[in-house]
mmCIF file of all heavy atoms in Angstrom:
data_model
loop_
_atom_site.group_PDB
_atom_site.id
_atom_site.type_symbol
_atom_site.label_atom_id
_atom_site.label_comp_id
_atom_site.label_asym_id
_atom_site.label_seq_id
_atom_site.Cartn_x
_atom_site.Cartn_y
_atom_site.Cartn_z
ATOM 1 N N VAL T 201 -18.816 22.467 39.956
ATOM 2 C CA VAL T 201 -19.499 23.169 38.868
ATOM 3 C C VAL T 201 -20.193 22.223 37.891
ATOM 4 O O VAL T 201 -21.355 22.423 37.541
ATOM 5 C CB VAL T 201 -18.502 24.064 38.093
ATOM 6 C CG1 VAL T 201 -19.178 24.734 36.909
ATOM 7 C CG2 VAL T 201 -17.911 25.105 39.030
ATOM 8 N N ALA T 206 -27.546 22.344 36.814
ATOM 9 C CA ALA T 206 -27.953 23.746 36.740
ATOM 10 C C ALA T 206 -26.755 24.657 36.467
ATOM 11 O O ALA T 206 -26.855 25.632 35.727
ATOM 12 C CB ALA T 206 -28.642 24.164 38.036
ATOM 13 N N PHE T 253 12.363 -8.107 50.918
ATOM 14 C CA PHE T 253 12.539 -7.282 52.110
ATOM 15 C C PHE T 253 13.883 -7.594 52.744
ATOM 16 O O PHE T 253 14.426 -8.681 52.564
ATOM 17 C CB PHE T 253 11.411 -7.546 53.111
ATOM 18 C CG PHE T 253 10.098 -7.010 52.651
ATOM 19 C CD1 PHE T 253 9.166 -7.834 52.029
ATOM 20 C CD2 PHE T 253 9.793 -5.667 52.822
ATOM 21 C CE1 PHE T 253 7.959 -7.325 51.589
ATOM 22 C CE2 PHE T 253 8.591 -5.153 52.380
ATOM 23 C CZ PHE T 253 7.677 -5.984 51.759
ATOM 24 N N VAL T 317 36.330 10.555 35.060
ATOM 25 C CA VAL T 317 35.357 10.091 34.081
ATOM 26 C C VAL T 317 36.034 9.612 32.813
ATOM 27 O O VAL T 317 35.448 8.919 32.012
ATOM 28 C CB VAL T 317 34.364 11.196 33.661
ATOM 29 C CG1 VAL T 317 33.036 10.977 34.339
ATOM 30 C CG2 VAL T 317 34.906 12.564 33.918
ATOM 31 N N HIS T 383 3.382 20.839 56.837
ATOM 32 C CA HIS T 383 2.942 22.000 57.593
ATOM 33 C C HIS T 383 2.504 21.540 58.974
ATOM 34 O O HIS T 383 1.716 20.613 59.094
ATOM 35 C CB HIS T 383 1.792 22.698 56.880
ATOM 36 C CG HIS T 383 1.344 23.940 57.576
ATOM 37 N ND1 HIS T 383 2.120 25.084 57.578
ATOM 38 C CD2 HIS T 383 0.251 24.218 58.298
ATOM 39 C CE1 HIS T 383 1.489 26.018 58.280
ATOM 40 N NE2 HIS T 383 0.353 25.516 58.722
ATOM 41 N N ARG T 419 14.378 -4.013 49.037
ATOM 42 C CA ARG T 419 13.937 -3.096 50.099
ATOM 43 C C ARG T 419 14.776 -3.411 51.317
ATOM 44 O O ARG T 419 14.871 -4.571 51.718
ATOM 45 C CB ARG T 419 12.455 -3.318 50.390
ATOM 46 C CG ARG T 419 11.605 -2.918 49.193
ATOM 47 C CD ARG T 419 10.159 -3.319 49.353
ATOM 48 N NE ARG T 419 9.375 -2.715 48.273
ATOM 49 C CZ ARG T 419 8.236 -3.206 47.829
ATOM 50 N NH1 ARG T 419 7.717 -4.290 48.379
ATOM 51 N NH2 ARG T 419 7.597 -2.597 46.860
ATOM 52 N N CYS T 452 -11.848 33.844 45.734
ATOM 53 C CA CYS T 452 -11.983 34.719 44.565
ATOM 54 C C CYS T 452 -12.835 34.087 43.480
ATOM 55 O O CYS T 452 -13.365 34.765 42.616
ATOM 56 C CB CYS T 452 -10.614 35.094 44.007
ATOM 57 S SG CYS T 452 -9.790 36.314 45.030
ATOM 58 N N LEU T 464 -11.407 16.031 47.395
ATOM 59 C CA LEU T 464 -11.282 14.576 47.253
ATOM 60 C C LEU T 464 -10.833 13.982 48.590
ATOM 61 O O LEU T 464 -11.344 12.969 49.046
ATOM 62 C CB LEU T 464 -10.282 14.244 46.140
ATOM 63 C CG LEU T 464 -10.021 12.787 45.824
ATOM 64 C CD1 LEU T 464 -11.304 12.038 45.499
ATOM 65 C CD2 LEU T 464 -9.042 12.659 44.660
ATOM 66 N N GLU T 469 -9.712 20.706 59.452
ATOM 67 C CA GLU T 469 -10.386 21.993 59.558
ATOM 68 C C GLU T 469 -9.450 23.073 60.091
ATOM 69 O O GLU T 469 -9.478 24.212 59.639
ATOM 70 C CB GLU T 469 -11.617 21.858 60.459
ATOM 71 C CG GLU T 469 -12.570 23.003 60.279
ATOM 72 C CD GLU T 469 -13.928 22.737 60.903
ATOM 73 O OE1 GLU T 469 -14.707 21.996 60.278
ATOM 74 O OE2 GLU T 469 -14.201 23.252 61.999
ATOM 75 N N PHE T 536 22.043 30.658 47.121
ATOM 76 C CA PHE T 536 23.395 30.603 47.679
ATOM 77 C C PHE T 536 23.928 29.173 47.644
ATOM 78 O O PHE T 536 23.335 28.270 48.217
ATOM 79 C CB PHE T 536 23.403 31.127 49.116
ATOM 80 C CG PHE T 536 23.017 32.579 49.223
ATOM 81 C CD1 PHE T 536 21.749 32.938 49.667
ATOM 82 C CD2 PHE T 536 23.897 33.574 48.843
ATOM 83 C CE1 PHE T 536 21.387 34.281 49.751
ATOM 84 C CE2 PHE T 536 23.544 34.910 48.923
ATOM 85 C CZ PHE T 536 22.280 35.263 49.374
ATOM 86 N N ARG T 538 26.384 26.267 48.719
ATOM 87 C CA ARG T 538 27.298 25.918 49.801
ATOM 88 C C ARG T 538 27.840 24.523 49.538
ATOM 89 O O ARG T 538 27.160 23.519 49.764
ATOM 90 C CB ARG T 538 26.606 25.973 51.162
ATOM 91 C CG ARG T 538 27.601 25.937 52.299
ATOM 92 C CD ARG T 538 27.029 26.622 53.542
ATOM 93 N NE ARG T 538 28.075 26.919 54.479
ATOM 94 C CZ ARG T 538 28.444 26.083 55.454
ATOM 95 N NH1 ARG T 538 27.863 24.920 55.585
ATOM 96 N NH2 ARG T 538 29.408 26.436 56.278
ATOM 97 N N LYS T 550 32.558 33.298 52.789
ATOM 98 C CA LYS T 550 33.223 34.602 52.769
ATOM 99 C C LYS T 550 32.608 35.508 51.700
ATOM 100 O O LYS T 550 32.297 36.675 51.947
ATOM 101 C CB LYS T 550 34.723 34.401 52.497
ATOM 102 C CG LYS T 550 35.622 35.307 53.329
ATOM 103 C CD LYS T 550 37.081 34.913 53.128
ATOM 104 C CE LYS T 550 37.891 36.070 52.585
ATOM 105 N NZ LYS T 550 39.242 35.654 52.151
ATOM 106 N N ILE T 648 16.572 36.107 75.554
ATOM 107 C CA ILE T 648 17.794 36.141 76.344
ATOM 108 C C ILE T 648 18.950 35.785 75.420
ATOM 109 O O ILE T 648 18.861 34.812 74.671
ATOM 110 C CB ILE T 648 17.780 35.098 77.485
ATOM 111 C CG1 ILE T 648 16.456 35.175 78.239
ATOM 112 C CG2 ILE T 648 18.978 35.268 78.405
ATOM 113 C CD1 ILE T 648 15.973 33.846 78.763
ATOM 114 N N MET T 655 6.387 36.144 67.844
ATOM 115 C CA MET T 655 5.255 36.898 68.377
ATOM 116 C C MET T 655 3.942 36.477 67.712
ATOM 117 O O MET T 655 2.993 37.228 67.665
ATOM 118 C CB MET T 655 5.486 38.397 68.136
ATOM 119 C CG MET T 655 6.755 38.937 68.762
ATOM 120 S SD MET T 655 6.806 38.693 70.528
ATOM 121 C CE MET T 655 5.622 39.913 71.039
ATOM 122 N N SER T 660 7.277 30.506 69.990
ATOM 123 C CA SER T 660 8.361 29.528 69.871
ATOM 124 C C SER T 660 9.703 30.208 70.092
ATOM 125 O O SER T 660 9.891 31.359 69.743
ATOM 126 C CB SER T 660 8.355 28.905 68.476
ATOM 127 O OG SER T 660 7.084 28.398 68.180
ATOM 128 N N LEU T 670 22.926 38.542 60.154
ATOM 129 C CA LEU T 670 22.698 38.964 61.535
ATOM 130 C C LEU T 670 23.148 37.917 62.539
ATOM 131 O O LEU T 670 23.018 38.096 63.744
ATOM 132 C CB LEU T 670 21.205 39.243 61.749
ATOM 133 C CG LEU T 670 20.658 40.420 60.944
ATOM 134 C CD1 LEU T 670 19.149 40.360 60.898
ATOM 135 C CD2 LEU T 670 21.112 41.717 61.558
ATOM 136 N N ALA T 687 13.703 23.682 60.936
ATOM 137 C CA ALA T 687 13.895 22.952 62.184
ATOM 138 C C ALA T 687 14.951 21.874 62.004
ATOM 139 O O ALA T 687 14.660 20.798 61.517
ATOM 140 C CB ALA T 687 12.582 22.339 62.651
ATOM 141 N N LEU T 707 0.172 46.589 64.071
ATOM 142 C CA LEU T 707 -0.228 45.402 63.312
ATOM 143 C C LEU T 707 -0.350 44.169 64.206
ATOM 144 O O LEU T 707 -1.206 43.316 64.001
ATOM 145 C CB LEU T 707 0.806 45.121 62.216
ATOM 146 C CG LEU T 707 0.956 46.190 61.128
ATOM 147 C CD1 LEU T 707 2.196 45.942 60.289
ATOM 148 C CD2 LEU T 707 -0.282 46.210 60.240
ATOM 149 N N VAL T 722 -19.175 32.666 59.633
ATOM 150 C CA VAL T 722 -19.972 33.625 58.876
ATOM 151 C C VAL T 722 -19.795 33.435 57.379
ATOM 152 O O VAL T 722 -20.577 33.912 56.583
ATOM 153 C CB VAL T 722 -19.639 35.095 59.244
ATOM 154 C CG1 VAL T 722 -20.102 35.403 60.630
ATOM 155 C CG2 VAL T 722 -18.176 35.382 59.064
ATOM 156 N N ARG T 759 4.087 31.841 77.969
ATOM 157 C CA ARG T 759 4.161 30.644 77.143
ATOM 158 C C ARG T 759 5.605 30.241 76.845
ATOM 159 O O ARG T 759 5.901 29.069 76.690
ATOM 160 C CB ARG T 759 3.413 30.868 75.828
ATOM 161 C CG ARG T 759 1.995 30.376 75.926
ATOM 162 C CD ARG T 759 1.319 30.509 74.607
ATOM 163 N NE ARG T 759 0.077 31.253 74.786
ATOM 164 C CZ ARG T 759 -0.679 31.639 73.790
ATOM 165 N NH1 ARG T 759 -0.309 31.418 72.547
ATOM 166 N NH2 ARG T 759 -1.784 32.273 74.014
#
Side-chain angles (χ1 to χ4, degrees):
Chain T
V201 177
F253 290 98
V317 257
H383 183 72
R419 294 171 171 155
C452 285
L464 181 55
E469 197 167 282
F536 296 103
R538 193 154 196 269
K550 220 173 121 190
I648 312 146
M655 301 302 287
S660 307
L670 295 163
L707 296 168
V722 291
R759 266 184 233 173

